[in-house]
Amino acid sequence: MSYKSHTVVNDPIYGFISIPNKLIFDIVNHPYFQRLRRIHQLGLTNYVYPGARHSRFEHALGAMHLMGLSIRSLQSKGVQITDEEAIGAQIAILLHDIGHGPFSHTLEKILIKGLHHEEISLVLINKLNKEFDGKLELASQIFQGTYKKKFLHQLVSSQLDMDRMDYLNRDSFYSGVSEGIVNYDRIINKLNVANNELVVEVKGVYSVEKFITARRLMYWQVYLHKTTLGIDQLICAILFRAKHICAKEGQIDCNPFLKFFLTSSIDKNDFMSNEDVINHFLNLDDFDIISSIKGWILHEDQTLSYLAKSFINRNLFKVELSNEAFGDSKVDDLKAKVMSQFKVDRDLLGSYFYEGIITNNAYNMDMDNIKVLFPNGEVQDIAASVDLLNISAMSKQVKKHYICYPKNISH
Amino acid sequence: MSYKSHTVVNDPIYGFISIPNKLIFDIVNHPYFQRLRRIHQLGLTNYVYPGARHSRFEHALGAMHLMGLSIRSLQSKGVQITDEEAIGAQIAILLHDIGHGPFSHTLEKILIKGLHHEEISLVLINKLNKEFDGKLELASQIFQGTYKKKFLHQLVSSQLDMDRMDYLNRDSFYSGVSEGIVNYDRIINKLNVANNELVVEVKGVYSVEKFITARRLMYWQVYLHKTTLGIDQLICAILFRAKHICAKEGQIDCNPFLKFFLTSSIDKNDFMSNEDVINHFLNLDDFDIISSIKGWILHEDQTLSYLAKSFINRNLFKVELSNEAFGDSKVDDLKAKVMSQFKVDRDLLGSYFYEGIITNNAYNMDMDNIKVLFPNGEVQDIAASVDLLNISAMSKQVKKHYICYPKNISH
Amino acid sequence: MSYKSHTVVNDPIYGFISIPNKLIFDIVNHPYFQRLRRIHQLGLTNYVYPGARHSRFEHALGAMHLMGLSIRSLQSKGVQITDEEAIGAQIAILLHDIGHGPFSHTLEKILIKGLHHEEISLVLINKLNKEFDGKLELASQIFQGTYKKKFLHQLVSSQLDMDRMDYLNRDSFYSGVSEGIVNYDRIINKLNVANNELVVEVKGVYSVEKFITARRLMYWQVYLHKTTLGIDQLICAILFRAKHICAKEGQIDCNPFLKFFLTSSIDKNDFMSNEDVINHFLNLDDFDIISSIKGWILHEDQTLSYLAKSFINRNLFKVELSNEAFGDSKVDDLKAKVMSQFKVDRDLLGSYFYEGIITNNAYNMDMDNIKVLFPNGEVQDIAASVDLLNISAMSKQVKKHYICYPKNISH
Amino acid sequence: MSYKSHTVVNDPIYGFISIPNKLIFDIVNHPYFQRLRRIHQLGLTNYVYPGARHSRFEHALGAMHLMGLSIRSLQSKGVQITDEEAIGAQIAILLHDIGHGPFSHTLEKILIKGLHHEEISLVLINKLNKEFDGKLELASQIFQGTYKKKFLHQLVSSQLDMDRMDYLNRDSFYSGVSEGIVNYDRIINKLNVANNELVVEVKGVYSVEKFITARRLMYWQVYLHKTTLGIDQLICAILFRAKHICAKEGQIDCNPFLKFFLTSSIDKNDFMSNEDVINHFLNLDDFDIISSIKGWILHEDQTLSYLAKSFINRNLFKVELSNEAFGDSKVDDLKAKVMSQFKVDRDLLGSYFYEGIITNNAYNMDMDNIKVLFPNGEVQDIAASVDLLNISAMSKQVKKHYICYPKNISH
């Protein structure tokens, strides 16, 4: 398919998404970007919300679409944004998640040590920039926040960025948790720029308040849903066990790209310096993980087989969440029961019993704050507004303890 | 049309609304209820949000529909509700707003002194009860809160009632202010009863939080929108002026039902004791008010004519809102300008310059609080939850000062 | 409110509708256009579909919005449309219904003889053109179809115009008859121009087929719904009777603007030549009709009172629809029963018994046909396509007979 | 998770779907049913409509939900359906697609010769019936159409079944092709039973007409979209080539479950008689196919590698569709170019050049027709209705020829 000025993608949320120009068309068709079709936006959240099967591909396109709307809204208010900057900002948001691997938030510590997906995104943006003869230079600067017009970076990454705006809507839409829906239209309509920073006009503050509440709700109802949490722990335990078997036996039956990461110990330096590592990473996706775990049901290691079977058949572990720490006696008792019932010693306990802490704050007062613009030109932090005391309230970090263990353990 | 067990009404929000039985079918077809078709749910909010033209008729049916869903949800959890109680609760919510007159919140002080629409609802419910041979007795008790199962009354009137659940959804839907949409499905699914009181299960707290935020937003974005506020003031000023002219001249050209209220001074006692007053009230609706005001454009009283013309042609007054009181000097200056420009004296100033205070709290900690049910059976006030500090924050009353005057006054 | 480049109106269907420039802003705020707020798009269809209470005001804005989208779509394909032409086309569609009076399709034969609402629209467009110093000249030409770029007129009025595109969507949305929803986004995206005519690209034919089917369905399910038909007949009979009483008694109690039309016999020439007639027409709206009919419940003429009461309390007549003519014996029998039961003679029968024929064809092969553009540049009538035989099928006129009489007549 | 009477699943289309009882809860949690999470409803349609990534799992639950609504609708009209029959019908529709394998419509001829997915469904239903001690007996009879109440089978499988009702809605929702949306609410509300057969009341015919048009549109716009067609052909060619390599070399690197089917020649008899074949089939899903194809990019067979790479990077073949057969000269010319450019002989041509015919009729007059019930009790075929000539028109089979070849072949 060759690019035409009205090339569009059908999106169930926004209707038609136009591809703005030939360069973006070529980026979208590049294997790096097409790969995102095979990375689910929400990992295995479809175990809880069956419709939530969308990929990072759609999210990236959606965020690009909202970027286009925001730029037109700002331009209509007299904010100077050149065509080149508009395209740069759209590419920056399109590629902001290009570095995500399979089940990213869960597996990034296991597959490649100490490497955050945003660092991978930057590596890949720069590789693409070379391939496209430097045409992504401006996009790279906007992505990194080094470009002079700071507000363009804020549209890509801040507490009111197009990333959040799209993912809240999209995750709500597909999960059916309609409370996460954000009136992006109104917020975008009320965006403006003051002192080179992105601001929201005072008429839009209630929509922003609603946006923050929506995000808070999505965290507790979806992203940190206790069942999702349990699945994430389970998939970690499986990969961890598979890696352990590889270390002992030198190999494990699975997809070749995954095998590469299980049999070697890759860290940030390897990734940065070794083209082969990058290529293996780019070949790896959710399909390999699921397909490999399914194969491990037949593995002779009883622990790996048990975990794989639990995972594939969705025979999930029990998860308990609490505002306070679980007492030692309860935890010790459960651990003893797990060890006795599964006939495993303390070394293997970590495969069957998971514990930890999750935290979230819907609005972060220590980050790049959301600023409000008043008709008289004054600019104020949104949480400072006398009407919006609940935003300060929501900026308080919420912290929860969890434990997770096979369902048939009684206590 | 005769009643059949699958008689339905098409509702753009919920799809088909079933009419549960013949009694409710007959109530819906009664002139008292049909009258609600001619009373707009949001008065003249369509001057700000053009789609918001729905009537109290649809709202009442929608609330009845949600009541049915709630009752089924509670029954599925083992809460005892008989068929008779179910019908009673549905009739109670169906008729909870039957006492509303035209532009109720605005005009109830002007047309009938000291009479609140809820008192009128009760009068009419009791009249209908007689007409239907006592079959509305239980509904009347539930409406008044005198029936032993208190939770049924709470479904009709409390901080988590079906009235709010429907009106937030409906007002959002028609105004296009999508932030007011409430996931009624999830909240209803999480309702339960403990100690004879309506409670929400802990899994539903984030949805309730969202519901309270939605209500807060709808207040500031729609119900107390400053343009709406200005229109309400204008319509009051018009009726007040018309009443003044009647007092002076003995009559005024307008619809006969409206004329009745303008030419006599009716108070609560008259209404309660005089069938004729009730009948005139039941004949009066939004159409008479608008049609009469339009006629007054041609009235010889210049003030009445000016106000009517401003209103009909939507040449609205300027409204200023402020967290603090407006200084005397500003107010005095504006008043002087108004008097000079319109060549009116202090007596007539009230027709051209309006001032006052509006207040709102999204959640009221002094009312019948929303209670949360924990899996261990414990019940707690929602605002007391450590995770939900923002609900306490939202329970703080917000108070705003306003002034309102013709747009062409410069200051 | 003064115009700013980002002035928007909140629309529940399209989200924000931008007002493109100051001229259009001023037209929207003109009393002629504001009047449309008081003319319901679908008359009394809310008696059948309670949500269908939207006005011609929203429809006109919506159609203007779609015109803007269509123009941008065509421009992106290289069709030459100047800024001036774009504004002209938007004004033309904005004002295409400006000549509608109250319950137009029903009452236009009764209030003003022989005058079609489109002729009134043209009179008003030309009056506005004068008032705006000739700035609506191009809009007027596009409206009339005299402008050289014929496709602009086709966007205003043809079998694929923005009028239909908006009203199908809007009427579906508010009535809750979701089958009428049209994927305007896809159709607009597939519009193009060939030989100065509007065409749809072949990729869009299934959407157009769906659009025609949707229109067909809306006709039978909503616009010609038998209950709606009965209401229209009833309101005609009421006004006809009121006019008869005026003729006999010289006057009737009602709103002054309506009285003007009831007491005089106005025809097309009067309207065209007499400013006073136009002004009275512009002052008349749905609110006057409803309010006046309500007053007539108390009228001493028993026929008028009976009809008014039936109408206001929605005690509707029985309607029978049939593909074949009703036999004389059945009709005569019913008429005899009506006369006997209501104690009226043949002169008055027309107030209680209505009969007639309705017809509809979803696609008209004799009008300006919808043309399809193939990739090779060929253009073909859509109904000629071998894949779309059902469009020819739908172009066949469907004709139904109806009779309508009080419900308590038994036969 | 143990079953409670209000266990629900969140569905973005219908809101909450209740699981009606413990038996259905256990079936849903059975590995056979959970497997459907890994079978996409529309194969690789997400290459064209990115949102269309839903699985057969959601579809089966959705169809069960609609079955519940239909049963309640029929019961409200006095149709006798016992609780046991209601559960039986819900299980029958829940399991109607349980026999689907990966990319079913495309691959079922390649993996297992001569076995249709419906036959597999029946095998699996009967296996489950044994496992659940005969509790699925009635469901099995309803599924097969052997149960006395024929209309229950028609709700599972006919031209107006819950399968179509859900998949049209669901495929529309996720693809964003909103024209496929069906007003299931209205159709279900108008269902009835006459002479033991499912019928639609005459008031519902326009909705049924719309449903058939929607289905027709979805076929041409989505299911038989030419790009989807090309992808299906490509995936077939890949598997076919892999099977060829296996035949020659005895094996191929890939997922073990897929390898089983590639290295052996399995037919219907093997499947019916060999438990091991069934188990391998139940272990195979879309994830294995995609993951394996990705691995084959590195395969030494140039054809396999080329096809795999085209597929994974979405470098799709060109597809031409035509109402008439492509002329021999054009086809021969293209074939010659393909052979020359790819340096392959006639044996390998089938890997690079695909041709064939697709057909569709939106309504089939030779099948179990949709019957219309008139108020007088008469029943008629919907296509016989004088108003619905377009249904006959749509029942005509549409037939299209296609050819498909690498994009860089010029002609």
Side-chain angles (χ1 to χ4, degrees), chain A residues 340-394:
Chain A
S340 136
Q341 190 160 329
F342 286 89
K343 299 187 177 49
V344 294
D345 59 16
R346 196 155 290 275
D347 283 357
L348 265 173
L349 185 59
S351 292
Y352 297 88
F353 189 95
Y354 325 129
E355 54 190 321
I357 289 172
I358 49 173
T359 59
N360 177 251
N361 43 1
Y363 180 69
N364 190 333
M365 297 189 69
D366 306 328
M367 269 183 70
D368 207 11
N369 291 339
I370 297 176
K371 304 270 186 4
V372 179
L373 175 67
F374 290 83
N376 62 4
E378 209 189 315
V379 171
Q380 207 183 44
D381 182 353
I382 195 168
S385 167
V386 67
D387 297 2
L388 298 167
L389 296 175
N390 54 328
I391 291 185
S392 326
M394 287 191 287

Side-chain angles (χ1 to χ4, degrees), chain D residues 66-330:
Chain D
L66 296 185
M67 179 64 81
L69 296 181
S70 293
I71 286 171
R72 269 197 291 285
S73 170
L74 293 176
Q75 287 173 330
S76 83
K77 294 171 185 187
V79 177
Q80 294 301 315
I81 303 171
T82 67
D83 284 358
E84 204 198 344
E85 288 165 345
I87 292 297
Q90 283 174 287
I91 294 174
I93 192 81
L94 191 69
L95 298 178
H96 78 287
D97 272 352
I98 194 83
H100 269 293
F103 306 108
S104 250
H105 297 292
T106 314
L107 296 186
E108 64 187 1
K109 319 132 212 170
I110 295 182
L111 299 177
I112 306 173
K113 272 179 209 133
L115 188 57
H116 195 266
H117 71 86
E118 282 165 12
E119 297 170 288
I120 304 180
S121 287
L122 185 56
V123 169
L124 297 181
I125 289 173
N126 290 337
K127 277 173 73 79
L128 285 169
N129 189 28
K130 265 187 216 151
E131 205 173 319
F132 284 100
D133 303 322
K135 288 183 192 149
L136 277 61
E137 185 55 39
L138 185 50
S140 174
Q141 289 177 27
I142 292 171
F143 177 79
Q144 294 176 74
T146 57
Y147 188 63
K148 62 184 176 186
K149 296 194 180 172
K150 187 183 168 191
F151 67 86
L152 292 176
H153 174 72
Q154 289 172 320
L155 286 168
V156 175
S157 177
S158 71
Q159 297 203 66
L160 200 61
D161 62 24
M162 297 304 115
D163 179 22
R164 294 180 184 204
M165 209 84 84
D166 183 77
Y167 76 61
L168 288 177
N169 263 333
R170 195 165 295 276
D171 300 344
S172 284
F173 178 85
Y174 286 105
S175 64
V177 179
S178 59
E179 288 102 330
I181 288 172
V182 165
N183 197 339
Y184 64 91
D185 216 11
R186 185 179 302 270
I187 297 180
I188 285 176
N189 199 268
K190 300 295 176 241
L191 291 180
N192 211 327
V193 168
N195 315 323
N196 200 25
E197 291 212 80
L198 192 67
V199 296
V200 63
E201 296 166 3
V202 69
K203 276 186 161 190
V205 290
Y206 296 110
S207 299
V208 172
E209 175 193 48
K210 190 87 187 315
F211 163 79
I212 296 171
T213 315
R215 185 158 176 270
R216 184 174 130 82
L217 183 140
M218 287 299 282
Y219 264 89
W220 295 115
Q221 204 97 306
V222 180
Y223 308 142
L224 300 177
H225 187 285
K226 69 179 190 176
T227 309
T228 317
L229 186 68
I231 297 162
D232 284 350
Q233 295 303 315
L234 184 56
I235 201 171
C236 273
I238 293 170
L239 271 288
F240 194 81
R241 183 72 193 157
K243 218 168 170 174
H244 176 84
I245 291 170
C246 281
K248 220 174 59 186
E249 306 188 357
Q251 80 94 41
I252 191 166
D253 275 344
C254 73
N255 171 288
F257 307 113
L258 177 57
K259 197 180 292 179
F260 177 86
F261 288 94
L262 293 180
T263 52
S264 19
S265 178
I266 311 278
D267 65 13
K268 187 172 164 173
N269 284 338
D270 299 325
F271 187 89
M272 292 303 189
S273 59
N274 186 339
E275 197 74 4
D276 192 42
V277 173
I278 297 188
N279 286 337
H280 271 87
F281 177 81
L282 287 168
N283 270 315
L284 189 67
D285 59 46
D286 293 7
F287 288 74
D288 305 316
I289 307 287
I290 302 286
S291 176
S292 296
I293 293 178
K294 186 146 49 73
W296 293 335
I297 293 182
L298 307 175
H299 199 280
E300 58 190 6
D301 179 77
Q302 286 200 5
T303 295
L304 184 62
S305 168
Y306 173 78
L307 297 174
K309 201 170 169 183
S310 299
F311 177 78
I312 292 296
N313 292 340
R314 202 186 170 280
N315 189 9
L316 300 177
F317 282 27
K318 183 170 174 57
V319 182
E320 294 188 52
L321 266 189
S322 166
N323 289 325
E324 286 106 49
F326 293 92
D328 281 351
S329 69
K330 174 173 182 168

Side-chain angles (χ1 to χ4, degrees), chain C residues 49 176-183 186-187 203-204 206-207 209-210 213-214 216-217 220-221 225-226 323 385-391 393-394 396 398 400, chain D residues 49 176-183 186-187 203-204 206-207 209-210 213-214 216-217 220-221 225-226 323 385-391 393-394 396 398 400:
Chain C
Y49 296 104
V177 179
S178 59
E179 289 102 331
I181 288 171
V182 165
N183 196 339
R186 184 180 302 270
I187 297 180
K203 276 185 160 190
Y206 295 112
S207 299
E209 175 193 49
K210 190 86 187 315
T213 315
R216 184 173 130 82
L217 183 139
W220 295 115
Q221 204 97 304
H225 187 286
K226 69 179 191 175
N323 289 323
S385 168
V386 67
D387 297 1
L388 297 167
L389 297 174
N390 54 327
I391 290 185
M394 287 190 288
K396 197 170 164 296
V398 179
K400 302 202 180 189
Chain D
Y49 296 105
V177 179
S178 59
E179 288 102 330
I181 288 172
V182 165
N183 197 339
R186 185 179 302 270
I187 297 180
K203 276 186 161 190
Y206 296 110
S207 299
E209 175 193 48
K210 190 87 187 315
T213 315
R216 184 174 130 82
L217 183 140
W220 295 115
Q221 204 97 306
H225 187 285
K226 69 179 190 176
N323 289 325
S385 169
V386 67
D387 297 2
L388 297 167
L389 297 175
N390 54 328
I391 290 185
M394 287 191 287
K396 197 169 162 296
V398 179
K400 301 202 181 188

Side-chain angles (χ1 to χ4, degrees), chain A residues 85-119:
Chain A
E85 288 165 346
I87 292 296
Q90 283 174 287
I91 294 174
I93 192 80
L94 190 69
L95 298 178
H96 79 286
D97 271 352
I98 194 83
H100 269 292
F103 306 109
S104 250
H105 295 293
T106 313
L107 296 186
E108 64 188 0
K109 318 134 211 169
I110 294 182
L111 298 177
I112 307 174
K113 273 180 208 130
L115 189 57
H116 196 265
H117 70 86
E118 282 165 12
E119 296 170 288

Side-chain angles (χ1 to χ4, degrees), chain A residues 45-72:
Chain A
T45 298
N46 72 73
Y47 266 25
V48 182
Y49 297 103
R53 304 170 60 92
H54 50 301
S55 78
R56 297 199 178 276
F57 180 85
E58 296 103 280
H59 163 54
L61 285 174
M64 180 198 74
H65 176 71
L66 297 185
M67 179 64 82
L69 297 182
S70 293
I71 286 170
R72 270 197 290 286

Side-chain angles (χ1 to χ4, degrees), chain A residues 4-172:
Chain A
K4 291 179 211 141
S5 65
H6 51 282
T7 296
V8 292
V9 177
N10 227 54
D11 183 68
I13 299 174
Y14 309 123
F16 284 132
I17 294 179
S18 294
I19 306 297
N21 71 359
K22 172 82 168 75
L23 174 59
I24 292 182
F25 181 78
D26 290 339
I27 293 170
V28 167
N29 282 305
H30 192 281
Y32 288 9
F33 193 80
Q34 290 291 323
R35 180 185 72 96
L36 296 181
R37 289 184 187 270
R38 297 185 300 274
I39 308 280
H40 291 87
Q41 176 74 13
L42 293 182
L44 276 155
T45 298
N46 72 73
Y47 266 25
V48 182
Y49 297 103
R53 304 170 60 92
H54 50 301
S55 78
R56 297 199 178 276
F57 180 85
E58 296 103 280
H59 163 54
L61 285 174
M64 180 198 74
H65 176 71
L66 297 185
M67 179 64 82
L69 297 182
S70 293
I71 286 170
R72 270 197 290 286
S73 168
L74 293 175
Q75 286 173 330
S76 84
K77 294 172 185 186
V79 177
Q80 294 300 316
I81 302 172
T82 67
D83 285 358
E84 204 199 345
E85 288 165 346
I87 292 296
Q90 283 174 287
I91 294 174
I93 192 80
L94 190 69
L95 298 178
H96 79 286
D97 271 352
I98 194 83
H100 269 292
F103 306 109
S104 250
H105 295 293
T106 313
L107 296 186
E108 64 188 0
K109 318 134 211 169
I110 294 182
L111 298 177
I112 307 174
K113 273 180 208 130
L115 189 57
H116 196 265
H117 70 86
E118 282 165 12
E119 296 170 288
I120 304 179
S121 288
L122 185 56
V123 168
L124 297 181
I125 290 173
N126 289 337
K127 277 173 73 78
L128 285 170
N129 189 27
K130 264 187 216 151
E131 207 173 319
F132 284 98
D133 303 323
K135 288 182 193 152
L136 277 61
E137 185 55 39
L138 185 52
S140 174
Q141 288 177 27
I142 291 171
F143 177 78
Q144 294 177 74
T146 57
Y147 187 63
K148 62 185 175 185
K149 295 194 180 173
K150 187 181 168 191
F151 67 87
L152 292 176
H153 174 72
Q154 289 171 321
L155 286 168
V156 175
S157 176
S158 70
Q159 297 202 67
L160 199 62
D161 61 26
M162 297 304 115
D163 179 22
R164 294 180 184 202
M165 208 84 83
D166 183 77
Y167 77 62
L168 288 177
N169 264 333
R170 194 165 296 276
D171 299 343
S172 283

